[in-house]
Amino acid sequence: MRLLLCGCLAAGLHAQSFSAESLKNPAVARALDSIAPRQQAIVEDWIRLTEIPSPSGGEQKRAAWIRGELAKLPSLSEIKTDSIGNVSAVRKGSGGGKSLVFAAHMDTVFPASTPIKVQREGNLLKAPGIGDCTGNLIAVLELFRALDRAQVKTKGDLIFLATVQE
């Protein structure tokens, strides 16, 4: 997850292609350093989100949880759910940069009746749908949290998008 967040932070900072030079930015370093102490909380969020049934067309409960988490971030504006259930939020940049969308889907291929209880085997998490973009949703959410914790400024807007009905 650290590598995924590292790439996302660097891309988000510049809203351009990834550059190793971006990792030397003190704000990016602060954001990355803020992730390790939250490892257990991130895993708990991943489990919590996985255990919310989210069959295609029935993503409302998962969308509500995500929207609630986004509402906790002071840098986000325009937090909304559209007419079909996609959840989005905007982290405004200072201007002069390209906007960048971080998107992941909320739905899974399992019917709502599928028992979804995460089982731990050491460091391995097992459950229907745990890898079906749920980890990506949590990674992007944690990216936006890390940006806030480190007070990272971007030129372009960063857009969080959790989509329905993949």
Side-chain angles (χ1 to χ4, degrees), residues 37-127:
R38 288 194 30 78
Q39 182 176 0
Q40 187 58 38
I42 294 167
V43 170
E44 293 303 321
D45 280 349
W46 189 7
I47 291 169
R48 187 174 299 111
L49 189 62
T50 298
E51 291 180 348
I52 300 171
S54 192
S56 193
E59 302 94 337
Q60 297 84 356
K61 288 181 182 176
R62 191 173 277 194
W65 185 87
I66 291 168
R67 187 174 173 147
E69 292 301 305
L70 295 174
K72 296 175 184 176
L73 298 176
S75 69
L76 296 182
S77 62
E78 302 175 43
I79 301 170
K80 59 186 172 187
T81 304
D82 69 16
S83 63
I84 64 168
N86 298 307
V87 177
S88 61
V90 177
R91 188 175 195 275
K92 289 287 192 188
S94 61
K98 296 178 182 179
S99 294
L100 186 62
V101 176
F102 293 88
H105 67 86
M106 294 183 285
D107 61 318
T108 62
V109 297
F110 308 101
S113 60
T114 303
I116 303 173
K117 180 69 178 159
V118 175
Q119 303 297 316
R120 291 179 185 241
E121 293 179 13
N123 289 330
L124 183 64
L125 301 175
K126 291 183 174 184

Side-chain angles (χ1 to χ4, degrees), residues 145-163:
R145 289 171 174 163
L147 292 171
D148 271 18
R149 286 190 301 268
Q151 299 178 342
V152 173
K153 305 293 182 207
T154 60
K155 290 182 180 180
D157 294 350
L158 303 182
I159 301 161
F160 180 103
L161 179 61
T163 63

